[in-house]
Amino acid sequence: MLIVVVGMSVLVAATYASTVGDGDGAEALAALAGNPAIRTLFGEPVGLDTVGGFTVWRTGTILAILLSVWGLLVTTRVTRGGEETGRWDLLLAGRLSRTAVLGRHLAVLTAVMIMIGLALAVALAAVGTPARGALVHATGLALAGAVAVTAAALAAQVFPARSAATGATLAFLGVGLLARMIGDGVTALGWLRWLPPYGPLALLSPYRDDRLAPLVVLALTAVALSVGALALAGRRDIRAGLLTPATRRTRRLRLLGSVETFAIRRMLGSLAGWSTGIGAYFLLIGLLADSLTGFLADNPRFADLAAQAGFAGLDTVRGYAATLFALLAVPVGAFTAVRLGAFASAETGGRLTLLHAGPTTRVRLLRAEILTTTAGAAVLVTVAGMAAWLGSTLVGADLPLPAALAGTWNVLPVALLSLAAAVLTLGHTPQGVVAWGVVPTAGGFLLTVTADSFDAPGWVRGLSPYTHLAAVPSAGPDWPAMAAMVAVAVIAVAIGLAGYRRRDLRL
């Protein structure tokens, strides 16, 4: 994570001159970014005539999301996940209380965020940006990551399962991101940008104003969440949460008739949450389509500058949709990796022991999970397409439903690569399933951005699946490339299934 945060920032800063050019280019790009739709999607532009300001605008939001999501996943794994699998038992059998153990974990995770922030500040100052602006920007990212860590720690005390704690924290981050997008795009609702963890980052204005008040908000939020987590840690039993399942309730026997339907039942709750988040985002994308494309159609110079900044094709509705639809592969790929990660946690936590002891084979269990997760990914891309179509229809933009669905289904093979990577990892060890699972989607996206910024050789770009993704619906699908990605996914899944059949269970 440190390499990604520092590397992306330094590469963008190093290519500022070739991307923006002279002062006129910066002023034109600032005018482009002044459009409400651009501000909503990419944040308010500040100091684009400086290397530091441009770097913050290009990478700030992306890095904040990556850092915070990584922080919450690590936190729920080492706290709630550590309790679920019994790795905390010996610690808690000694003199340390639950509060003390949690406090030490929070201290280490917060120190990691501080270390990443310091490394980023030093790197940005080393490439020639003002030290004060670099420190403000880096501190903001570190505090946003700390907020995610403490929020996840708090959720781990409330919910009795790691998956529920992770889902609740992801929902918190999603609401925060949506609040920032609305606050950036609608002047009357600018106060929403004070809501952590992402909103205050938009108010920092590094390399121009270098405001400190938003940093105070983020710091106080992190402190309040950590105090709450530590206080609640002493009020619950080990391996339990403050919210406990009801001991007596009406029998719910639906979808319990087979292994396959049981996999569907376990997925429905998380699928509803992911569908809500993805649907809300792409509904907003559709609502912004007419405003953004109309502005760029009237100002072709700005469309050229947007292409140089990495946002090509935004001057037509279908080109705009194709550019944003490519990003859909990241959350859908993350969904598949998280689902396989939950399956791995069920194995190590002993929740599949009774099923393993019965006549059902292990391969059938995993195969049911793979098929169900694939169907869930298909549902998510369909939801995204329908939401984008609905938003564009409401504003009168030209994005028919078949075109929107074609654009979202076009990214499904990339998301299936994440599923395949997760299965391949699971076939050898249940640890690291989520981390390796998101490499094809999140890692591929980062590779594409880095390669474009650094003007890397063609073979480097070719390593990313996004390079082989056609710009649907502004262009036709690249069927050979899609078939190749699906074939790679199928082969990886087959190898993962074979490895899972041969390895021992990890309990």
Side-chain angles (χ1 to χ4, degrees):
M1 186 54 59
L2 187 148
I3 292 173
V4 168
V5 170
V6 175
M8 281 190 63
S9 301
V10 170
L11 287 176
V12 171
T15 57
Y16 170 77
S18 61
T19 303
V20 178
D22 54 19
D24 293 339
E27 292 178 4
L29 189 59
L32 163 68
N35 180 269
I38 286 286
R39 290 201 310 270
T40 299
L41 292 175
F42 308 116
E44 181 183 3
V46 174
L48 293 185
D49 56 340
T50 66
V51 177
F54 180 75
T55 301
V56 171
W57 186 61
R58 279 289 304 275
T59 66
T61 301
I62 295 175
L63 293 181
I65 294 173
L66 286 175
L67 192 59
S68 56
V69 171
W70 173 77
L72 86 87
L73 291 176
V74 171
T75 303
T76 56
R77 177 174 61 84
V78 301
T79 56
R80 172 54 60 185
E83 286 193 44
E84 285 184 349
T85 56
R87 291 192 296 269
W88 278 30
D89 288 355
L90 282 178
L91 287 173
L92 297 178
R95 296 183 176 182
L96 293 179
S97 64
R98 290 188 300 274
T99 302
V101 174
L102 177 64
R104 283 157 173 75
H105 280 78
L106 282 178
V108 171
L109 292 168
T110 303
V112 168
M113 294 298 176
I114 294 173
M115 179 187 66
I116 292 176
L118 288 175
L120 176 60
V122 171
L124 288 176
V127 297
T129 68
R132 180 179 173 86
L135 185 60
V136 169
H137 170 55
T139 303
L141 287 183
L143 287 175
V147 169
V149 165
T150 54
L154 178 62
Q157 311 313 306
V158 175
F159 297 95
R162 176 186 172 188
S163 58
T166 300
T169 313
L170 282 172
F172 167 72
L173 296 183
V175 171
L177 179 60
L178 187 61
R180 171 175 175 168
M181 293 176 67
I182 296 174
D184 280 334
V186 182
T187 303
L189 298 177
W191 58 269
L192 288 174
R193 293 187 293 178
W194 286 101
L195 299 179
Y198 306 117
L201 298 179
L203 300 173
L204 290 175
S205 300
Y207 298 103
R208 190 187 70 181
D209 301 326
D210 295 329
R211 298 190 182 103
L212 300 181
L215 296 180
V216 175
V217 172
L218 289 173
L220 291 177
T221 302
V223 170
L225 290 172
S226 62
V227 169
L230 294 172
L232 296 180
R235 299 175 61 87
R236 62 177 181 85
D237 290 333
I238 184 67
R239 300 190 189 182
L242 292 181
L243 296 181
T244 56
T247 56
R248 305 180 69 177
R249 61 184 180 185
T250 304
R251 289 181 299 173
R252 296 180 298 173
L253 304 180
R254 292 182 180 179
L255 301 179
L256 292 179
S258 67
V259 169
E260 290 74 19
T261 56
F262 180 51
I264 295 175
R265 172 173 170 151
R266 297 202 327 271
M267 183 188 68
L268 288 179
S270 62
L271 180 63
W274 284 87
S275 297
T276 300
I278 289 176
Y281 180 80
F282 281 92
L283 176 64
L284 182 60
I285 294 299
L287 291 172
L288 296 173
D290 189 59
S291 171
L292 178 61
T293 56
F295 177 82
L296 293 179
D298 296 336
N299 299 272
R301 167 61 176 158
F302 296 154
D304 293 339
L305 286 170
Q308 295 175 25
F311 310 121
L314 296 180
D315 53 341
T316 66
V317 172
R318 297 197 179 203
Y320 161 84
T323 301
L324 275 300
F325 284 160
L327 300 178
L328 176 62
V330 176
V332 177
F335 166 79
T336 63
V338 169
R339 289 305 309 157
L340 267 296
F343 184 85
S345 297
E347 176 187 339
T348 56
R351 293 189 295 276
L352 296 179
T353 302
L354 287 179
L355 287 176
H356 289 147
T360 302
T361 64
R362 295 165 56 194
V363 172
R364 182 184 175 188
L365 288 175
L366 180 55
R367 186 169 55 238
E369 195 71 25
I370 294 170
L371 294 176
T372 302
T373 303
T374 302
V379 170
L380 290 180
V381 297
T382 303
V383 168
M386 296 184 67
W389 164 76
L390 177 60
S392 62
T393 301
L394 292 175
V395 297
D398 181 25
L399 185 64
L401 180 58
L405 291 176
T408 55
W409 273 79
N410 179 60
V411 306
L412 185 58
V414 180
L416 293 181
L417 291 176
S418 273
L419 172 64
V423 175
L424 188 61
T425 305
L426 179 64
H428 296 84
T429 174
Q431 281 76 37
V433 170
V434 176
W436 285 105
V438 298
V439 167
T441 48
F445 176 74
L446 291 176
L447 177 60
T448 299
V449 172
T450 303
D452 289 342
S453 299
F454 199 60
D455 196 21
W459 68 268
V460 175
R461 291 187 176 92
L463 296 176
S464 171
Y466 293 90
T467 304
H468 312 287
L469 199 62
V472 182
S474 64
D478 188 343
W479 295 111
M482 294 175 67
M485 284 189 278
V486 171
V488 169
V490 170
I491 293 172
V493 167
I495 296 174
L497 282 170
Y500 185 69
R501 180 189 297 112
R502 294 173 63 87
R503 76 165 173 84
D504 290 335
L505 290 174
R506 305 291 175 85
L507 299 176

